[in-house]
């Protein structure tokens, strides 16, 4: 319920302004920016995050600064400015590491990997995924997204369990079965084109 969230954050913002609570204002503007981003209102999202940054400079809160960088990076990724997103994700990841905030650090690395992948930097994306606590599942998602569905389906169970040799073997078994089906006895040469596509 984005509209209701916006109304509540604006109410909180008015209270924080009356109280001169810059920490509260920083948080309100950051969260408003997030809601606007989720609604696809990019200009309002960036304006809110700019305000969060302005108030955040006065309070010098490392955690709030890290959350701001993560949110601003996410906004930049949403508008396909992945270079800017990567810069802010890197700042956020370092800050979360300094704060020993593993959950937010993992989230940051996952988003960083997505931005690297969007730019075609697969090696950097994989390095980011290795930093997360959800390594196998995220690596799977990253590496097989564009593969043939037959390969992906056959390899997935072994890959997610970390049994890579078994995953490769199951893929070959599935391919062999599919080739046998394609080269069935129905008619000579009938299925050669399909076998070629499959191979």
């Amino acid at each position: 319920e984005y509209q209701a969230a916006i109304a509540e954050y604006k109410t909180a913002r008015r209270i924080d302004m009356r109280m001169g609570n810059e920490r509260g204002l920083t948080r309100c503007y950051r969260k408003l920016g997030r809601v606007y981003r989720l609604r696809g209102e990019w200009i309002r999202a960036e304006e809110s995050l700019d305000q969060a940054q302005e108030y955040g400079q006065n309070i010098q809160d490392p955690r709030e600064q890290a959350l701001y960088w993560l949110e601003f990076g996410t906004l930049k990724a949403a508008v396909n400015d992945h270079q800017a997103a990567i810069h802010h994700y890197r700042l956020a990841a370092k800050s979360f590491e300094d704060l020993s905030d593993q959950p937010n650090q993992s989230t940051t690395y996952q988003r960083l990997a997505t931005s690297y992948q969007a730019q075609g930097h697969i090696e950097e994306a994989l390095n980011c995924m290795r930093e997360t606590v959800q390594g196998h599942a995220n690596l799977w998602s990253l590496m097989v997204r564009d593969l043939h569905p037959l390969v992906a389906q056959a390899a997935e169970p072994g890959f997610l369990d970390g049994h890579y040799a078994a995953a490769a073997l199951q893929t070959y078994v599935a391919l062999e079965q599919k080739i046998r089906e394609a080269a069935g006895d129905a008619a000579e040469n009938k299925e050669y084109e399909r076998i070629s596509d499959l191979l």
Side-chain angles (χ1 to χ4, degrees):
E1 297 181 18
Y2 298 139
Q3 197 57 48
I6 289 169
E8 295 297 334
Y9 286 137
K10 285 183 175 179
T11 300
R13 183 181 63 185
R14 283 193 297 273
I15 295 169
D16 286 326
M17 282 183 176
R18 284 200 301 268
M19 296 174 60
N21 180 6
E22 291 188 331
R23 188 179 304 276
L25 284 167
T26 302
R27 190 176 300 117
C28 275
Y29 275 117
R30 175 175 55 80
K31 292 185 176 186
L32 266 172
R34 179 174 186 267
V35 177
Y36 284 132
R37 172 179 60 80
L38 292 170
R39 283 169 54 109
E41 297 182 40
W42 314 126
I43 294 173
R44 286 186 174 180
E46 187 156 1
E47 288 172 349
S48 294
L49 291 175
D50 286 345
Q51 291 282 27
Q53 175 70 343
E54 185 178 325
Y55 284 107
Q57 288 175 349
N58 296 330
I59 63 171
Q60 295 296 309
D61 181 341
R63 176 171 177 72
E64 190 59 44
Q65 186 69 60
L67 291 168
Y68 161 79
W69 281 326
L70 175 58
E71 184 57 46
F72 196 79
T74 306
L75 172 62
K76 288 300 180 182
V79 296
N80 290 316
D81 186 356
H82 291 286
Q83 193 61 40
I86 287 168
H87 171 72
H88 286 87
Y89 287 148
R90 283 288 179 197
L91 293 172
K94 176 67 170 71
S95 295
F96 287 131
E97 181 181 1
D98 292 344
L99 293 164
S100 300
D101 185 342
Q102 184 64 51
N104 276 318
Q105 188 179 9
S106 292
T107 297
T108 303
Y109 274 121
Q110 290 167 19
R111 294 181 188 178
L112 183 57
T114 301
S115 282
Y116 273 129
Q117 185 185 20
Q119 291 194 318
H121 301 311
I122 302 303
E123 186 60 35
E124 290 90 340
L126 290 173
N127 287 336
C128 290
M129 298 316 301
R130 292 185 188 105
E131 298 288 342
T132 72
V133 294
Q134 301 176 18
H136 290 312
N138 288 317
L139 279 169
W140 167 256
S141 172
L142 190 66
M143 293 174 69
V144 303
R145 182 175 298 165
D146 297 326
L147 295 182
H148 190 287
L150 176 69
V151 173
Q153 184 176 4
E156 182 175 15
F159 194 97
L160 290 178
D161 290 338
H163 300 133
Y164 304 119
L169 180 61
Q170 288 303 314
T171 303
Y172 278 109
V173 169
L175 284 169
E176 182 181 8
Q177 181 179 350
K178 194 71 173 177
I179 290 169
R180 287 182 186 277
E181 291 172 8
D185 297 332
E188 187 176 351
N189 297 334
K190 178 181 176 185
E191 301 289 351
Y192 281 178
E193 185 177 347
R194 284 181 55 197
I195 295 172
S196 175
D197 290 343
L198 180 62
L199 291 173

